[in-house]
Amino acid sequence: MASVFSNGPKTLRGQITVIIMLALVTVIVSGRALENFAKRDYVVPNLEKAAVQVKTVALVLKNASPIERTSIVANVRAAGFEMSLEPIATAATFTGSSEIQGLAEKFADFLFPPDGEPPLGGWRAFLDGRRVIAEPVDEQTMLVYFGFPDTILTSSFLSQTSYYFIAVIVLLVFFFTFAIRAVTEPIKKISEAASGSDINNSSEIFKERGTVEIISLARALNGMRNRIRLMVDGRTRMLWGISHDLRTPLTRLRLRVERMKDEDLQETLFADIDHIDGLLTESLNYLRDEYATENVERVDVASILQTVCNDFSDVGFEVEYRGPNKHVANCRPLSLTRAVTNLCDNGTKFAKTVTVQLQTDSAGFSISVIDDGPGVPEGLREKIFEPFFKGDSSRSDRAGFGLGLSIVVDVVRSHQGNVSVLANRPHGLLVRVDIPRL
């Protein structure tokens, strides 16, 4: 089967055609072998053949005299066929199988009906507890053939069932294997590659292997991804250039304002310049993508969080760390530091106290940044991580472009984690970052 996929046709259409041809050959050969094996090892009645024999003898008896009939029946019995002449009224005493077996026989006859016209009393008639085949000789007499085992299996049933059984097995094995190797597995790999891909990575994401259709799909996705990366890179360079070039006139403006004698106006202009400078800094920080290129290292996460909290405490903010004194894990340390710093910075803008909490388990670790600020309405919690989103004036009156939390999402995604936003009781916000084991 493996050679069919590796050395056979390279298109799905061609491989399906080959699979169908192989399935037909397998069904024919295996079905015949199974039928011969079953007929050799199991005694099954050939009802159609027996019915023809009984009908032939009945035709001979029809035109014979009573003496000749007795002689003919005796010769038939001597030849090994247990036949006898019975009154035609005896057919009324024929019985069927038990209720359970009768249902099974009806189902078997429905699926695989015997060939030819049914004999007198049907294909499954019993006389005195023995299975028989009967044919009328004349209006008063019938010929009864005894000697068939009481079994659901018949020659017709066994012949057809062998092929049906093999066909089902071949269908399940061949096409299930084909679907996994040629369709399901390549699509699954493409889906996994798309889920874990990084647009900033220039290497090939989707492996161009498999059938012609799968290769075409992977090639198209690679091309689309490269075009998206080029478009994003172009816009990033443009924004980077604009943000960087604005620093020069902003510096000249600051120097000119310093020469002004009107202190009130000077203070107002300095505040505006600082605000613009903060917006530019935020934009440049967002355009930096070291979280996508930084290598994963084994570091002490607890130490990183304690350092971030100490940095904020040193400049007068009430930022506290809670958690273990040490927890070594695989992560991108600079990116993680940047994400936690942005969360703490966001909290200190709108709250008096901020708590950074570290929790660990076998699946990874989680970082919770909790503040006692005004909080965010439930309907806006999923949107606060979108770039440039400013939905709640209570938490955005001192904010910039709203890019700090977007950076947090990018960093967490680069760690294959997720971010959730909850309400802190009685008031405030809780941002939880879950990082799985890398």
Side-chain angles (χ1 to χ4, degrees):
M1 181 67 71
S3 61
V4 173
F5 299 106
S6 58
N7 301 323
K10 299 302 181 182
T11 64
L12 287 176
R13 182 182 302 174
Q15 290 187 3
I16 290 175
T17 302
V18 172
I19 290 295
I20 292 175
M21 297 303 297
L22 287 176
L24 289 175
V25 172
T26 303
V27 169
I28 293 173
V29 175
S30 302
R32 174 62 66 180
L34 181 61
E35 178 186 0
N36 293 335
F37 170 78
K39 287 183 177 180
R40 184 179 68 248
D41 291 359
Y42 297 94
V43 178
V44 293
N46 193 330
L47 298 181
E48 295 89 343
K49 182 179 179 180
V52 172
Q53 292 171 342
V54 174
K55 185 173 291 187
T56 302
V57 176
L59 289 175
V60 174
L61 293 173
K62 183 177 182 179
N63 298 319
S65 63
I67 297 177
E68 290 174 337
R69 287 182 177 181
T70 303
S71 176
I72 292 172
V73 172
N75 289 330
V76 170
R77 294 176 69 89
F81 298 95
E82 189 178 354
M83 297 184 184
S84 65
L85 290 172
E86 302 289 343
I88 195 71
T90 307
T93 64
F94 285 170
T95 59
S97 305
S98 62
E99 183 177 357
I100 297 178
Q101 183 174 337
L103 293 175
E105 290 172 347
K106 289 179 181 179
F107 181 72
D109 289 343
F110 173 77
L111 292 178
F112 313 106
D115 297 329
E117 184 180 352
L120 188 64
W123 291 105
R124 301 181 185 274
F126 291 82
L127 179 61
D128 297 331
R130 302 179 66 189
R131 191 169 182 173
V132 298
I133 289 180
E135 281 290 337
V137 176
D138 52 35
E139 294 181 357
Q140 292 81 29
T141 310
M142 67 177 179
L143 180 65
V144 180
Y145 185 8
F146 297 90
F148 298 98
D150 181 14
T151 176
I152 298 175
L153 297 178
T154 64
S155 178
S156 175
F157 178 86
L158 190 62
S159 299
Q160 298 182 59
T161 305
S162 301
Y163 291 97
Y164 276 87
F165 177 76
I166 294 297
V168 171
I169 296 300
V170 169
L171 178 67
L172 291 176
V173 174
F174 278 39
F175 282 92
F176 186 72
T177 304
F178 168 76
I180 291 178
R181 293 184 58 109
V183 181
T184 308
E185 194 64 28
I187 293 178
K188 179 182 177 182
K189 290 181 179 179
I190 289 177
S191 176
E192 291 175 350
S195 300
S197 64
D198 181 6
I199 198 171
N200 296 287
N201 190 351
S202 60
S203 62
E204 181 185 77
I205 293 180
F206 306 104
K207 301 298 181 183
E208 298 178 4
R209 292 197 300 263
T211 62
V212 172
E213 292 83 357
I214 296 297
I215 292 176
S216 299
L217 175 61
R219 188 171 296 157
L221 291 175
N222 281 326
M224 179 181 67
R225 176 255 188 188
N226 290 333
R227 290 192 296 272
I228 293 175
R229 183 172 60 84
L230 291 175
M231 179 185 67
V232 172
D233 288 346
R235 293 187 177 184
T236 300
R237 286 193 298 269
M238 179 187 68
L239 292 174
W240 183 280
I242 293 174
S243 300
H244 187 271
D245 291 344
L246 285 176
R247 285 291 178 85
T248 300
L250 193 63
T251 301
R252 290 199 301 264
L253 183 60
R254 182 185 295 276
L255 293 175
R256 291 173 182 173
V257 170
E258 289 178 352
R259 299 171 185 171
M260 295 179 61
K261 297 181 179 180
D262 190 339
E263 294 183 357
D264 294 336
L265 180 60
Q266 187 183 52
E267 183 178 354
T268 302
L269 291 176
F270 273 140
D272 290 337
I273 292 173
D274 291 337
H275 182 64
I276 295 175
D277 185 67
L279 294 177
L280 291 176
T281 301
E282 184 180 7
S283 299
L284 292 174
N285 287 336
Y286 180 71
L287 294 175
R288 289 161 51 198
D289 59 353
E290 72 273 4
Y291 60 85
T293 57
E294 184 184 2
N295 293 327
V296 175
E297 300 179 15
R298 191 163 182 82
V299 296
D300 185 359
V301 177
S303 177
I304 292 177
L305 301 184
Q306 291 171 7
T307 300
V308 172
C309 293
N310 291 334
D311 290 342
F312 277 92
S313 299
D314 291 342
V315 293
F317 293 108
E318 293 187 23
V319 179
E320 179 188 7
Y321 169 77
R322 293 179 183 175
N325 292 326
K326 184 176 182 180
H327 176 68
V328 179
N330 293 328
C331 67
R332 295 180 170 90
L334 295 179
S335 301
L336 188 63
T337 301
R338 184 179 179 189
V340 177
T341 300
N342 287 358
L343 290 175
C344 291
D345 182 64
N346 183 76
T348 56
K349 289 178 181 178
F350 315 106
K352 294 181 179 179
T353 61
V354 176
T355 302
V356 179
Q357 183 174 321
L358 174 63
Q359 295 176 314
T360 65
D361 54 33
S362 58
F365 64 89
S366 64
I367 301 171
S368 300
V369 179
I370 310 166
D371 66 54
D372 59 353
V376 174
E378 184 176 358
L380 299 178
R381 291 174 190 166
E382 295 298 326
K383 297 182 179 180
I384 62 175
F385 293 102
E386 297 178 2
F388 308 107
F389 177 78
K390 300 179 182 179
D392 186 9
S393 60
S394 65
R395 295 186 69 98
S396 62
D397 53 355
R398 296 178 56 196
F401 282 137
L403 299 176
L405 296 182
S406 299
I407 295 175
V408 174
V409 173
D410 293 337
V411 171
V412 174
R413 286 176 179 172
S414 71
H415 287 80
Q416 303 175 16
N418 60 78
V419 184
S420 56
V421 182
L422 304 172
N424 184 32
R425 301 302 178 188
H427 57 82
L429 194 67
L430 187 155
V431 181
R432 179 186 176 94
V433 174
D434 295 305
I435 305 295
R437 295 184 62 182
L438 299 180

